Amino acid sequence: MSNRSRNLPRRSCLSVPGSNERFLEKAPTVGADMTFLDLEDSVAPQEKEGARAKVVEAIRKQPWDDRVLCVRVNAWDTRWTYGDVIEVVSGAGERLDEIMLPKVQSAAEVVALDLLLRQVEANCGLPEGHIGIEAQIETTRGLIAVEEICAASERLETIIFGPADFAASMEMPVLTGGVEIPEYPGDHFHYVFSKILMAGRANGLQVIDGPYLKIRDTEGLRRFALRTRTLGYDGKWALNPDQVAILNEVYSPTQEQFDRAWDILDAYRTATEDEGKGAVMFGDEMIDEASRKMATKFVSRGERAGLSRSNS
Ligand code: GLV
Ligand code: MG
């Protein structure tokens, strides 16, 4: 449901292997903002086609509350993509919010999915545009084309960085993608994070960081997530409930930030509307229109995270 899910929070995006009935059953009990049932890399080739029916059944039968619900299909360079889309959307399209497309290398791949979705929606009696798209950037070609990819379809809701496949595509000498590399002076992904963020924001998309594969290293996850949180990302993938709890905290503004943002908005409104001033002192700081824009982001993120103002 494109319009329903576009602005819902995605601080934590839980990955659930679509062939594993036990994980599919447990997933709704994990408090992730977004959950995606995977048909791609966490499903073995011989299980791919059988996993579709399990995913359809889980979407239809499980209590998913109002979280964003997504299915990751296989990439266009396999033989499974169209079958995944047709079977999942015709079987469970009503509750499904989005399809995630991995390893996107060009805008044409997003357009192809958009066109296929349009036909499947028409055949199943779903409104046109009901299913949104999440696109993963995880190859060098995908990163080079990210600006066109982010502008390729009205259905796009998020752009996601996939660090593991990206490290492989770059032929980086690492065996775990998406973790710190202390030998590198700086953040080896800084350019990648920034490029994806700019392309996503320029097209009104939410921007999401991918998995942190050392699942027992909770402090490492927190440190790593703070990097993309600080740049402005909306959330990050989670592989288990412990990661979900950390990410929901990291990608939410604190109560103090939320209250301060509201105070800035109030002070700026009084200055511009009542006093006819464009810039005004707020404590020790000068605030102006740019401060209003920054504060507005904190307020909308805080509201998305369920905060309410404590000092009104
Ligand atoms: C996620 O799909 C990744 O490759 O990191
Ligand atoms: Mg990947």
Side-chain angles (χ1 to χ4, degrees):
M1 287 173 272
S2 242
N3 288 334
R4 188 191 86 89
S5 54
R6 185 170 295 279
N7 287 315
L8 287 177
R10 287 173 176 77
R11 296 167 302 175
S12 51
C13 304
L14 181 69
S15 168
V16 183
S19 52
N20 187 317
E21 276 139 338
R22 194 167 59 85
F23 287 164
L24 287 169
E25 202 171 317
K26 189 165 177 224
T29 67
V30 180
D33 288 341
M34 180 271 203
T35 299
F36 71 94
L37 312 183
D38 189 24
L39 296 174
E40 203 223 11
D41 280 357
S42 68
V43 175
Q46 67 274 23
E47 300 286 322
K48 294 268 186 206
E49 283 165 28
R52 293 173 185 157
K54 294 183 186 173
V55 162
V56 166
E57 158 130 343
I59 297 172
R60 293 173 69 98
K61 304 257 167 79
Q62 300 267 46
W64 292 107
D65 55 48
D66 62 354
R67 79 187 60 199
V68 181
L69 191 56
C70 179
V71 169
R72 178 166 72 164
V73 297
N74 287 282
W76 280 122
D77 63 356
T78 68
R79 60 195 162 86
W80 295 295
T81 321
Y82 79 96
D84 290 346
V85 173
I86 294 170
E87 191 165 334
V88 168
V89 177
S90 1
E94 214 175 315
R95 173 60 184 88
L96 189 66
D97 293 302
E98 313 169 302
I99 292 288
M100 185 189 299
L101 188 61
K103 301 184 179 67
V104 177
Q105 312 238 42
S106 68
E109 294 190 11
V110 177
V111 174
L113 177 59
D114 182 322
L115 294 172
L116 176 58
L117 282 169
R118 191 161 355 141
Q119 294 197 351
V120 182
E121 285 167 347
N123 282 317
C124 308
L126 295 169
E128 188 176 317
H130 180 81
I131 304 285
I133 297 178
E134 302 217 350
Q136 276 189 280
I137 299 297
E138 41 185 359
T139 64
T140 49
R141 282 184 53 201
L143 187 69
I144 290 167
V146 67
E147 290 167 26
E148 297 92 70
I149 289 170
C150 285
S153 164
E154 292 278 299
R155 289 182 195 266
L156 276 166
E157 299 184 26
T158 68
I159 189 84
I160 306 160
F161 175 49
D165 272 302
F166 190 77
S169 173
M170 289 281 277
E171 300 185 25
M172 290 172 72
V174 292
L175 290 171
T176 313
V179 295
E180 289 160 323
I181 303 183
E183 304 82 54
Y184 187 84
D187 181 346
H188 62 292
F189 278 150
H190 178 71
Y191 169 75
V192 181
F193 286 147
S194 299
K195 186 168 166 105
I196 294 175
L197 179 64
M198 278 188 257
R201 289 288 186 249
N203 291 282
L205 305 184
Q206 290 203 35
V207 185
I208 307 293
D209 186 14
Y212 187 81
L213 300 168
K214 294 188 172 173
I215 54 176
R216 294 208 172 76
D217 179 13
T218 48
E219 275 320 299
L221 168 68
R222 186 182 291 278
R223 272 198 313 276
F224 206 76
L226 273 169
R227 298 181 184 195
T228 51
R229 198 292 303 271
T230 304
L231 287 173
Y233 276 55
D234 295 283
K236 182 168 172 65
W237 281 15
L239 303 173
N240 66 17
D242 292 342
Q243 290 198 337
V244 166
I246 291 171
L247 298 177
N248 285 350
E249 187 194 317
V250 169
Y251 289 93
S252 298
T254 62
Q255 184 70 46
E256 198 185 329
Q257 289 169 325
F258 184 74
D259 289 338
R260 182 174 167 83
W262 265 117
D263 291 346
I264 290 174
L265 291 182
D266 282 351
Y268 184 68
R269 191 176 316 108
T270 307
T272 49
E273 289 174 16
D274 301 347
E275 297 160 17
K277 292 184 193 152
V280 68
M281 287 306 285
F282 176 78
D284 292 341
E285 258 178 59
M286 200 198 71
I287 58 169
D288 64 8
E289 174 58 21
S291 320
R292 186 195 64 76
K293 288 193 181 121
M294 290 187 281
T296 303
K297 288 278 169 206
F298 272 97
V299 166
S300 62
R301 279 183 181 204
E303 283 175 347
R304 284 206 315 229
L307 292 180
S308 49
R309 195 175 180 181
S310 56
N311 56 354
S312 55

